[in-house]
Amino acid sequence: MNTAQQLQSALAGLANPEDALGAARFFKTGPGEYGEGDVFIGVRVPALRQAIKPFAALPLDEVQLLFDSPVHEHRLAAGLILVGQFQRASKPKTFDDSERTRLSDFYLAAVRHGRVNNWDLVDSSAPTLLGDYLFDRERGVLFELAASSILWERRVAMIATQGLIGRGDASTTLELASVLLPDRADLMQKAVGWMLREVGKRVDRALLLGFLDAHAAEMGRTALSYATEHLAPELRSEYRAR
């Protein structure tokens, strides 16, 4: 049986100290920054994705060891392994809703224990492990996360709706965006604006415009900029002038 330790050893063999320094700067690990204290070993994402392939069926107790690691790439590997397992359990020929529930619950516990604690960890996992899972379920958990004092839980709530948008459902995105409008954390401004833009691109442009008509005046500059990015210049200017 493959183990977390074996995967960690494989990633150590791919580590690059220069890339680790660059990643530490990029993901803002300095004092007072959003990723303060995060540890990188310098494994780039394409190489990491290749490295985890033999570990696709890693048991959840071993995935937990990866989530519990202080090393960023170990936690990223844990999230990507869960995504792969969830996707396989979601295929029509192998559909297993009890397994999907087990994986989503496991992921949510990792979120609530602070293991999904940088934006790439959130963005690569939340749309599948929460968004896709909740498509035909009650979604109160997203509003619970959105009310959290913890940045990463709020971002998980918003970014999870990408999984709903991809299936044509913008309702929860718009509800959460309204709730999170006062949130001026930069990573939340970007998340809200990005998901609103996706609503306009992938579901219905009229829904985006309706939201902007109602809320543009109270939106933060960054969220508004992201949300209007693909609109015509004159329309962008009109909303920004509000």
Side-chain angles (χ1 to χ4, degrees):
M1 182 186 74
N2 286 329
T3 66
Q5 186 175 13
Q6 289 172 333
L7 177 51
Q8 289 168 342
S9 295
L11 294 176
L14 300 170
N16 182 306
E18 289 187 9
D19 287 343
L21 288 173
R25 289 192 295 269
F26 183 71
F27 287 99
K28 307 295 185 185
T29 63
E33 295 182 312
Y34 61 72
E36 181 177 358
D38 207 351
V39 177
F40 288 83
I41 58 174
V43 181
R44 298 194 176 191
V45 173
L48 186 145
R49 287 185 178 275
Q50 285 296 318
I52 68 174
K53 284 184 177 181
F55 299 86
L58 198 67
L60 291 190
D61 57 346
E62 296 293 322
V63 175
Q64 186 65 58
L65 294 176
L66 296 175
F67 268 135
D68 289 341
S69 170
V71 175
H72 184 100
E73 290 91 341
H74 295 169
R75 301 193 308 281
L76 177 59
L80 293 176
I81 288 169
L82 285 184
V83 167
Q85 292 181 0
F86 185 93
Q87 290 172 335
R88 287 190 293 279
S90 300
K91 289 182 178 179
K93 290 185 178 180
T94 56
F95 189 83
D96 185 343
D97 204 40
S98 63
E99 178 67 1
R100 294 167 82 246
T101 297
R102 187 172 79 106
L103 294 167
S104 184
D105 287 349
F106 181 87
Y107 173 72
L108 184 58
V111 169
R112 287 175 162 158
H113 284 91
R115 305 306 194 248
V116 185
N117 58 347
N118 215 312
W119 60 262
D120 62 323
L121 306 181
V122 172
D123 298 0
S124 61
S125 59
T128 300
L129 294 165
L130 279 184
D132 286 352
Y133 177 70
L134 293 173
F135 177 71
D136 54 359
R137 289 176 164 85
E138 196 276 328
R139 302 170 189 174
V141 65
L142 297 183
F143 292 87
E144 292 173 15
L145 292 170
S148 173
S149 62
I150 300 170
L151 167 64
W152 305 118
E153 294 187 8
R154 302 198 306 276
R155 187 170 174 102
V156 164
M158 195 71 235
I159 298 299
T161 69
Q162 189 177 25
L164 304 171
I165 292 168
R167 300 177 70 173
D169 183 350
S171 59
T172 302
T173 305
L174 298 175
E175 288 182 64
L176 282 172
S178 297
V179 168
L180 291 166
L181 277 184
D183 194 328
R184 291 301 191 256
D186 184 59
L187 287 173
M188 288 309 303
Q189 287 278 301
K190 292 175 179 177
V192 169
W194 174 22
M195 290 303 103
L196 288 172
R197 184 182 71 208
E198 291 295 291
V199 167
K201 286 175 59 180
R202 304 185 187 281
V203 182
D204 189 340
R205 186 172 182 267
L207 290 175
L208 169 61
L209 296 182
F211 185 93
L212 294 173
D213 287 341
H215 298 291
E218 59 188 296
M219 291 176 69
R221 182 176 300 176
T222 298
L224 187 58
S225 177
Y226 271 60
T228 59
E229 185 176 359
H230 293 292
L231 299 181
E234 60 274 13
L235 191 53
R236 258 196 334 265
S237 297
E238 178 186 330
Y239 282 121
R240 292 175 183 179
R242 299 186 186 187

